Amino acid sequence: MATKVVLWILLCLFAIVSLVSAYQAPERRQFREEAQQCKLDRIRARPPSRRIESEGGITEAWDEANEEFQCAGVAAFRNIIRPNSLSLPKFHNSPMLAYIEQGEGFLGLNFPGCVETYEARSAQVSRSSRRIHGDKEEDKHQKIRRVRRGDMIVVPAGTVHWCYNDGGQDLVIVAFMDLNNDDNQLDLRVRSSYLAGGVPREARRGSKSDDIVNIFSGFNQELLAEAYNIPLHLVKKMQEERGSGLIVKCDEEMAFMTAEEEEEELSASPFWRRQEESNGLEESICTARVVHNMNTQREADVYSREAGRVNILNQLKLPVLRFVGMSAEKGHLFPNAEYNLHWSMTDHRLVYVIDGEAEIEIADDYGNQAFKERVSRGNMFVIPQFYPSFARAGQDGFEWITFKTSNQPMKSPVAGYTSFFRALPLQLLEQAFQITTAEAQQLKQTRRQHTFHTFLSSLNHN
């Protein structure tokens, strides 16, 4: 009897597995077919293809439907926030890296499940030796960070974030999203969920702004009023999609309490009471460092007095990147310097030109030239995984930021003292290229510099 029961259970399990496999097989085939079609014969440097004007600034986006963006599963946009303007609170469907290209301001990043750790007493806020007094009630909130040019900011998927420009010039933020990240279980397109504002419905007709809406507009007003225990007129304010857009001009100058402004991080309750209220996230998520400045020369990972420098940001420098599976690289080539030939072993790369210009060449796995263009400020292009690339700076130098889809990226240099040529035996090179021993030795030893070098010196050498 027991044998029959076991046999019956095994047969049922086999049937279930067969049904699941049959159900998933078409999806797997479709995924493989789509992956096989991801062959980039031609890569292009692209400016933003979408522009949304707001009262307090401009939002520009690159079309994630472009072939190379779709293949790499990435997306990008740029926010230009004018002085005394606020980029409204929102969250995205995938993790994001944001680079401050210009200006400074305040960044709010609200981790779910974390308590308010900053408390402003008597509404006193210090900023630039000026104090603002008021009779408002005490305000408690999560940590607010001051950001400035050169900062890279990590924003996990689904985390509410906002930014306010309190400076005298435009605040320019370039952001990269890894849509193919495990944190995104939806399709490979940007989904921006705004908690205030949004593009009005009449402005969305016939445009590409259908997905930029206020998420509260999809709920019943009475339900929201009961959920928040607030009057109905306040719910209507929450659902309102104003004509001011995604970046609004503030009625008055705002100031926030931050540790960097020499304000204290306070708590009204004693230590033992705070321990009781702790939810266990404080040591791992709530206090995580999410901002790192990439303009610091002393932290350069590769440096040459003649050619330039490269700053690498990975999970070793910023541990929170371990959770989002992303990294970045900030580079600066001096005039006529070259970034040696190499390919990425672990990730796709999205390159944004900050300043200057350079001639870029990329080859595909079929030996075809997939990209050869002179790129300049504001251009963005994709370097797919395993595609060798090469860069030569122009007369004014070349400054760029590279966003990567791996938290611990690795590259394989084709030239320089760590290239694979130096590790191959001479006889192997002779037979592979049908060259003499002297030519094989020259191939191994010609270029001793690592990562980059000056183009003028290579001309003199040859």
Side-chain angles (χ1 to χ4, degrees):
M1 181 68 181
T3 304
K4 292 182 178 180
V5 171
V6 171
L7 183 60
W8 181 80
I9 293 174
L10 290 175
L11 288 174
C12 290
L13 289 174
F14 178 77
I16 292 172
V17 170
S18 300
L19 288 172
V20 171
S21 299
Y23 176 77
Q24 292 181 342
E27 293 185 356
R28 290 200 191 104
R29 282 196 300 270
Q30 181 180 0
F31 177 80
R32 284 198 298 267
E33 290 173 0
E34 291 177 355
Q36 290 171 356
Q37 294 173 2
C38 188
K39 178 180 176 297
L40 299 177
D41 296 325
R42 189 66 183 168
I43 300 171
R44 298 175 182 174
R46 299 181 184 273
S49 57
R50 184 179 178 187
R51 181 183 176 96
I52 301 174
E53 295 274 358
S54 297
E55 177 190 63
I58 301 170
T59 300
E60 299 174 320
W62 281 261
D63 189 359
E64 67 268 24
N66 290 328
E67 185 180 5
E68 58 263 41
F69 281 71
Q70 277 282 312
C71 183
V74 297
F77 63 89
R78 179 169 60 204
N79 270 340
I80 302 172
I81 307 173
R82 299 190 180 102
N84 193 34
S85 296
L86 171 70
S87 177
L88 293 171
K90 57 191 168 297
F91 63 89
H92 296 293
N93 58 316
S94 63
M96 181 176 75
L97 294 182
Y99 177 76
I100 307 297
E101 182 180 357
Q102 175 185 298
E104 63 176 330
F106 288 104
L107 170 75
L109 200 64
N110 296 80
F111 290 108
C114 298
V115 298
E116 305 94 338
T117 55
Y118 277 63
E119 176 183 315
R121 294 185 182 276
S122 303
Q124 292 183 355
V125 182
S126 171
R127 176 177 175 269
S128 304
S129 71
R130 182 181 76 243
R131 302 194 72 83
I132 300 174
H133 299 266
D135 298 327
K136 300 178 182 179
E137 295 182 0
E138 293 180 350
D139 180 27
K140 297 181 181 180
H141 54 75
Q142 289 190 22
K143 182 177 181 179
I144 296 173
R145 299 160 176 86
R146 172 164 285 284
V147 293
R148 53 183 56 86
R149 183 180 182 273
D151 281 347
M152 184 68 72
I153 305 155
V154 182
V155 183
T159 301
V160 175
H161 57 280
W162 53 267
C163 195
Y164 171 69
N165 181 2
D166 69 329
Q169 63 175 333
D170 289 348
L171 175 60
V172 182
I173 306 174
V174 182
F176 158 75
M177 300 176 65
D178 182 9
L179 299 176
N180 208 26
N181 193 281
D182 290 340
D183 289 341
N184 178 29
Q185 301 295 312
L186 301 173
D187 50 14
L188 296 183
R189 72 180 184 89
V190 177
R191 294 174 182 263
S192 302
S193 299
Y194 279 80
L195 303 177
V199 177
R201 297 182 185 277
E202 56 271 13
R204 297 202 303 265
R205 292 185 185 131
S207 70
K208 295 183 179 180
S209 302
D210 293 335
D211 54 345
I212 304 178
V213 297
N214 182 335
I215 64 171
F216 292 114
S217 62
F219 290 94
N220 178 272
Q221 292 182 352
E222 287 77 12
L223 186 148
L224 287 177
E226 183 178 351
Y228 287 97
N229 192 26
I230 57 177
L232 199 60
H233 72 87
L234 188 53
V235 171
K236 294 179 180 179
K237 286 286 187 181
M238 293 172 60
Q239 294 181 328
E240 185 179 0
E241 296 170 344
R242 295 177 290 176
S244 50
L246 310 178
I247 306 172
V248 299
K249 193 78 174 176
C250 298
D251 297 332
E252 59 183 20
E253 185 176 354
M254 296 193 296
F256 303 98
M257 179 180 67
T258 68
E260 296 156 314
E261 300 288 343
E262 299 182 352
E263 290 288 346
E264 294 180 348
E265 185 173 355
L266 303 172
S267 176
S269 57
F271 174 76
W272 62 269
R273 184 73 55 81
R274 297 200 307 269
Q275 288 295 101
E276 288 183 355
E277 295 172 353
S278 172
N279 59 12
L281 294 176
E282 285 77 10
E283 293 186 4
S284 58
I285 298 297
C286 300
T287 59
R289 189 167 63 91
V290 296
V291 179
H292 185 90
N293 192 276
M294 302 190 69
N295 276 356
T296 309
Q297 182 170 312
R298 65 176 178 270
E299 289 190 5
D301 297 278
V302 182
Y303 179 76
S304 168
R305 290 183 178 179
E306 294 79 21
R309 67 179 183 270
V310 173
N311 287 35
I312 298 172
L313 181 62
N314 55 27
Q315 65 180 21
L316 300 179
K317 286 187 180 179
L318 197 60
V320 71
L321 289 171
R322 183 184 304 114
F323 300 102
V324 298
M326 301 163 71
S327 59
E329 172 184 289
K330 168 77 185 300
H332 183 197
L333 285 180
F334 298 153
N336 299 315
E338 294 181 348
Y339 199 149
N340 274 337
L341 193 63
H342 66 277
W343 69 77
S344 168
M345 301 171 62
T346 55
D347 51 272
H348 299 297
R349 305 188 175 200
L350 189 58
V351 183
Y352 175 77
V353 183
I354 298 174
D355 201 6
E357 60 179 13
E359 182 179 339
I360 308 294
E361 292 190 24
I362 304 173
D364 64 13
D365 51 340
Y366 289 90
N368 301 317
Q369 189 177 74
F371 184 91
K372 184 180 181 181
E373 289 188 29
R374 181 167 291 273
V375 297
S376 57
R377 183 174 183 175
N379 287 153
M380 184 174 286
F381 58 94
V382 173
I383 305 179
Q385 184 183 14
F386 303 123
Y387 278 43
S389 62
F390 172 85
R392 177 184 297 159
Q395 297 295 326
D396 297 323
F398 179 53
E399 188 176 359
W400 76 96
I401 190 80
T402 301
F403 303 99
K404 308 177 183 181
T405 59
S406 170
N407 54 9
Q408 191 63 21
M410 293 181 62
K411 64 184 176 185
S412 179
V414 185
Y417 69 83
T418 57
S419 76
F420 69 88
F421 276 118
R422 294 178 64 88
L424 295 178
L426 279 174
Q427 285 186 325
L428 189 146
L429 291 175
E430 293 171 22
Q431 295 301 317
F433 295 106
Q434 291 296 295
I435 56 179
T436 65
T437 302
E439 289 171 332
Q441 188 68 40
Q442 186 180 16
L443 185 59
K444 285 178 61 113
Q445 305 296 337
T446 294
R447 181 61 61 195
R448 295 181 181 273
Q449 289 90 338
H450 176 57
T451 302
F452 46 60
H453 58 275
T454 55
F455 178 52
L456 291 179
S457 66
S458 66
L459 287 179
N460 296 333
H461 180 84
N462 295 329

